[in-house]
């Protein structure tokens, strides 16, 4: 593993730890301005996602990688494609996901 890949995996670990700690500032620092999450309910932007954690509506108790994700580095961009399981709560309701 080279230094660029290690840096990307370290950022992914910071992201997971920040989600568990519900640290919106660190979560936001791991996201680009055009970050989105795509799910069965549609697309959620960074600016719509962050307030859920900051308010406490969204919390995570566990976040784990299923396997080491492949990383593609192209010029000034990197793509990490990973599969994680996570457990938490959204607006008081338990959630468990395989993403």
């Amino acid at each position: 593993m080279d230094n660029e890949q290690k840096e990307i995996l370290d950022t992914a670990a910071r992201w997971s730890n920040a989600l568990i700690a519900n640290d919106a500032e660190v979560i936001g620092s791991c996201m680009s301005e055009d970050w989105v999450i795509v799910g069965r309910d549609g697309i959620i932007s960074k600016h719509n996602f962050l307030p859920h954690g900051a308010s406490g509506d969204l919390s995570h108790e566990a976040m784990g990688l299923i396997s080491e994700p492949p990383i593609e580095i192209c010029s000034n961009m990197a793509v990490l494609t990973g599969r994680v399981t996570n457990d938490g709560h959204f607006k008081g309701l338990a959630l468990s996901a395989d993403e």
Side-chain angles (χ1 to χ4, degrees):
M1 176 182 313
D2 65 25
N3 286 341
E4 287 178 323
Q5 290 174 322
K6 183 177 179 337
E7 182 179 353
I8 293 162
L9 286 176
D10 288 348
T11 300
R14 277 185 43 232
W15 164 267
S16 293
N17 292 334
L19 283 171
I20 292 169
N22 213 20
D23 188 332
E25 185 176 330
V26 174
I27 295 166
S29 75
C30 294
M31 303 162 110
S32 65
E33 283 304 308
D34 59 352
W35 179 95
V36 296
I37 188 168
V38 180
R40 68 179 138 203
D41 296 329
I43 297 171
I44 300 172
S45 71
K46 170 183 181 175
H47 300 289
N48 289 329
F49 180 85
L50 285 174
H52 289 295
S55 70
D57 283 346
L58 177 63
S59 63
H60 292 85
E61 287 83 41
M63 176 82 51
L65 275 171
I66 299 296
S67 61
E68 189 170 318
I71 299 169
E72 295 291 327
I73 299 173
C74 307
S75 186
N76 65 346
M77 179 183 74
V79 177
L80 177 147
T81 305
R83 180 177 164 205
V84 298
T85 57
N86 62 75
D87 297 307
H89 289 83
F90 183 67
K91 295 185 176 183
L93 299 174
L95 65 87
S96 183
D98 183 340
E99 304 174 308

